[in-house]
Amino acid sequence: MSTDLEGLFAAFNATIGRSAMADAEFGEMFRQMMAALVRFDYVVVFAYRGKERPIDLYSTFDPEEHVVFVTLYQAGPYLLDPFYHTARERRQGVLRMRELAPDRFFSSEYYRTYYVQTGLAEEIGFFVNADEDITIVLSLMRREKTGVFPPAEFATLKKVEPIVASMVRYYWTGLASRFDAQLAAGSRTKRKPGQNGNIPPAETVWRDLNLTSRETAIVELVLQGHSSESIGLKLNISTGTVKVHRRNVYRKLGISSQTQLLSLYLKNLA
């Protein structure tokens, strides 16, 4: 599509003289700026810090879509999301979901039971590292009927990325205190006996199931969509060793499928 200069200038004009902007104001400005450059169906912005529940800063979903893309996502599936893991790695730039996904992501239980509900053809994210170990991801999404982003539009997004990153760091500040408040609120309502309220539930889910650290690492990679070969490469162990650990985990947990593994994971996380 051709650049809508009038729309682009109008978006920038909204920032003139503004030393601060609310989440919705900055999110809408970003949406208008992107709409002047490329075609997309949805925008959603999340802030990530460690394994904590991501904070939703802005989105364009209707109430029904919001349940799938935000509410359900924050309840636990975010832990298996390639965007979440990329944010934790503190990578920056404009990145495509399909380039970040593990080798078996599109056949994983997470993809079949959650991601397909989104009906997306493609998702592209601006990854911006902020202070306090926080990464803000501004996602542009296209539905299946819209199709993927053409190479020319992806190239345009990469060119505008430095401007977007600078604006995000300037206007989206003070997020550390919001994460602290969220963690404190969660500890008051969901803490288990003997559990440290300052530790995100994701840190203890496998511990409660009596898995070893190696078993924990392997099953998390399985749920993210990594094959045994990919897990072996990441953990520097043989594929056969990975398979032995997987069999031991299934036996220990009394399950026989990845579907049951994901169900057990989300149940203990909640």
Side-chain angles (χ1 to χ4, degrees), residues 42-58:
Y42 305 115
V43 177
V44 64
V45 183
F46 283 106
Y48 297 91
R49 186 176 75 171
K51 287 191 174 183
E52 296 173 51
R53 180 177 179 268
I55 295 175
D56 57 313
L57 299 174
Y58 173 80

Side-chain angles (χ1 to χ4, degrees), residues 107-137:
S107 61
S108 69
E109 194 60 34
Y110 164 76
Y111 180 82
R112 291 195 297 265
T113 60
Y114 171 74
Y115 201 84
V116 292
Q117 297 182 57
T118 65
L120 296 179
E122 185 167 45
E123 182 176 0
I124 288 177
F126 288 82
F127 289 74
V128 182
N129 289 345
D131 294 334
E132 306 290 341
D133 201 31
I134 294 168
T135 298
I136 299 170
V137 182

Side-chain angles (χ1 to χ4, degrees), residues 164-202:
V164 171
S166 295
M167 296 177 73
V168 167
R169 293 191 186 99
Y170 183 81
Y171 286 108
W172 255 317
T173 59
L175 293 177
S177 61
R178 292 165 66 171
F179 274 105
D180 292 342
Q182 175 180 266
L183 195 59
S187 69
R188 288 194 297 269
T189 59
K190 297 182 179 180
R191 187 188 306 180
K192 297 178 182 179
Q195 184 183 66
N196 185 339
N198 293 322
I199 300 177

Side-chain angles (χ1 to χ4, degrees), residues 6-23:
E6 184 176 343
L8 187 61
F9 293 152
F12 278 119
N13 187 58
T15 69
I16 296 177
R18 304 288 297 276
S19 60
M21 297 178 74
D23 292 348

